[in-house]
Amino acid sequence: MTDQRAAPVEPSVRPSLWPWAVAAAAFVALVGAAGFRSAPGVLIEPLHAEFGWSTATISSAVSVNLLLYGVISPFAAALMERLGMRRVVAGALVLVAAGSGLTVFMNATWQLVLLWGVLVGVGTGSMALAFVATVTGRWFVRRRGLVSGVLTAAQAAGGLIFLPVIASLAGSVGWRPASLVIAGAALLVVPIVLLLLREHPRDVGAVAHGAEPGQVAPSVQPTGGAARMAVTALRDAARTGTFWLLAGGFAICGASTVGLIGTHFVPAAHEHGMPATTAASLLAVIGLFDVAGTVVSGWLTDRWDPRFLLAVYYSLRGVSLLVLPVVLAPTATPPIWAFVIFYGLDWVATVPPTVALCRENFGDRGAIVFGWVFACHQIGSAIAASGAGLIHDLTGDYDGAWWSAGALCVLAAVLSVALRRVPAAGGRTMTVRS
């Protein structure tokens, strides 16, 4: 009897545009996710003015958002292996739209936590950096580091694009229209994802960019639930020293960026006499240079040992944090501008080398393992955010926080050097049982 199953599409021998189309769709989704995730920050004051809720109460929703943004990442990566990227990302965008759009009807703080905290947190977390690792791992062999850098830069670009618009709308026509704009923007991205975001090159008769025409990735259908797959990946990865070195370094990365500078730079600069608006503008400029630095880091990751790059990045960041107490001043002096540019170029330059090392050491489960490494990044961010506040309350300034973070960055450089690389021929595949 003749086998009626459809034969696999023969891979094309010509270069395909599909990898770049998939990367473009991922870039649009990541830009939106970053903007949607950061939007609650500019709505704190309007919500306080209308409902009388305290800043701490409103911030609790933001905290839930940030925590879920990190914790959901490995589970989303596992779900992408089981259900596919298109379904997961499209569903995540619908969650963001629901979380933002339904806020116009809320009248209690628990609704704020549920909508902005849980729904938007889960939605944006499903499009976090583990998504970058999944796209680049499936669709790119050559220029994988560069594409990782560009997609990571989308995280910074999203805030730069959306925050001024959301802040302007919230100040002119109110926070409700601003929330509806976010919901509408999330829904507009869904057709792009459904049209262009394909699962594997073999699905469209292509190969990954830089792969040989006959080099088709094997089709492995995962079994078991996505949650079990994510937990099993963590269990197996945690048995290796490589995972703990990567997780420890990335936790310090989160502590020395989002948790410390992202949370405390503006109040620290204000204590030195700088207007808060000026300090906030400098923080935005850090984000601008972050885009350039991350793209260049991706390009370098394709050419240099990622362990060496991480060691350099963490060392330079540590030096910049150690000198920050000296350069802070009432005005934006040249030394402060030097810090902003130098630190901005290094902000998330660590992501492409870390993604590369996860893929190299953990093979086809590299994206899920990176999701757990990224979760450690967010835990480090949370610890630093509260720890720096505690240091300030105990000592009266932030100097101890800057010095502690600088010392931790030196430790992260040491952890990076201690990493061992696997042979370049494709990397080891970590077996994940389900």
Side-chain angles (χ1 to χ4, degrees):
M1 183 176 179
T2 304
D3 189 350
Q4 299 297 320
R5 291 177 297 177
V9 181
E10 186 68 23
S12 172
V13 297
R14 296 178 299 175
S16 173
L17 293 177
W18 269 110
W20 302 107
V22 170
F27 183 88
V28 172
L30 287 162
V31 167
F36 306 147
R37 179 179 59 84
S38 55
V42 301
L43 302 180
I44 290 177
E45 184 55 37
L47 290 174
H48 171 72
E50 176 168 337
F51 295 104
W53 298 335
S54 69
T55 301
T57 298
I58 300 172
S59 297
S60 65
V62 180
S63 298
V64 171
N65 180 299
L66 288 172
L67 182 62
L68 287 175
Y69 180 73
V71 172
I72 203 68
S73 185
F75 296 96
L79 201 60
M80 288 177 189
E81 294 290 337
R82 182 155 183 80
L83 298 181
M85 292 188 295
R86 276 198 297 179
R87 291 181 180 177
V88 172
V89 175
L93 289 165
V94 171
L95 275 181
V96 170
S100 180
L102 290 174
T103 55
V104 301
F105 303 110
M106 70 180 179
N107 53 26
T109 55
W110 69 266
Q111 296 167 349
L112 177 68
V113 173
L114 174 64
L115 298 174
W116 271 117
V118 177
L119 292 189
V120 176
V122 170
T124 56
S126 299
M127 298 178 285
L129 295 178
F131 175 42
V132 173
T134 302
V135 170
T136 55
R138 292 182 182 181
W139 283 92
F140 290 88
V141 174
R142 291 179 58 239
R143 297 190 175 92
R144 182 178 285 166
L146 176 61
V147 177
S148 294
V150 172
L151 294 182
T152 303
Q155 300 280 307
L160 293 173
I161 292 171
F162 275 91
L163 285 184
V165 175
I166 299 303
S168 176
L169 285 173
S172 58
V173 296
W175 65 268
R176 286 183 175 82
S179 297
L180 292 176
V181 166
I182 295 172
L187 292 177
L188 285 176
V189 180
V190 173
I192 298 174
V193 167
L194 294 178
L195 180 64
L196 296 179
L197 192 62
R198 302 303 173 118
E199 303 304 328
H200 297 277
R202 62 176 176 270
D203 297 339
V204 290
V207 295
H209 178 74
E212 296 299 324
Q215 184 181 345
V216 183
S219 180
V220 179
Q221 180 62 38
T223 60
R228 185 178 180 184
M229 188 188 305
V231 172
T232 305
L234 173 62
R235 182 196 66 195
D236 291 348
R239 293 171 177 168
T240 69
T242 298
F243 173 79
W244 293 109
L245 292 171
L246 287 168
F250 221 44
I252 293 173
C253 178
S256 57
T257 53
V258 178
L260 184 61
I261 294 294
T263 305
H264 295 285
F265 178 79
V266 173
H270 187 60
E271 287 186 355
H272 282 74
M274 182 181 293
T277 52
T278 302
S281 298
L282 291 175
L283 194 59
V285 174
I286 287 176
L288 183 63
F289 280 95
D290 167 32
V291 174
T294 307
V295 173
V296 172
S297 175
W299 182 83
L300 291 173
T301 301
D302 290 328
R303 292 159 174 79
W304 292 79
D305 186 335
R307 299 173 304 170
F308 170 76
L309 293 176
L310 286 176
V312 171
Y313 296 156
Y314 285 129
S315 297
L316 295 177
R317 184 186 299 173
V319 171
S320 66
L321 288 170
L322 289 173
V323 303
L324 180 57
V326 180
V327 303
L328 281 174
T331 58
T333 59
I336 292 179
W337 276 110
F339 168 83
V340 166
I341 296 171
F342 188 78
Y343 183 87
L345 290 171
D346 191 67
W347 179 279
V348 289
T350 54
V351 173
T354 304
V355 170
L357 287 167
C358 284
R359 181 72 186 179
E360 184 178 278
N361 284 276
F362 301 105
D364 57 2
R365 289 297 180 262
I368 300 175
V369 174
F370 177 75
W372 286 111
V373 172
F374 178 67
C376 293
H377 179 282
Q378 294 301 98
I379 293 172
S381 300
I383 293 173
S386 12
L390 179 61
I391 290 174
H392 178 271
D393 291 344
L394 292 175
T395 64
D397 57 44
Y398 284 102
D399 290 357
W402 310 135
W403 295 331
S404 299
L408 285 173
C409 286
V410 175
L411 173 60
V414 173
L415 295 178
S416 301
V417 173
L419 286 163
R420 295 169 58 183
R421 299 194 74 184
V422 298
R428 168 172 71 85
T429 298
M430 184 183 73
T431 302
V432 179
R433 295 177 296 276
S434 57

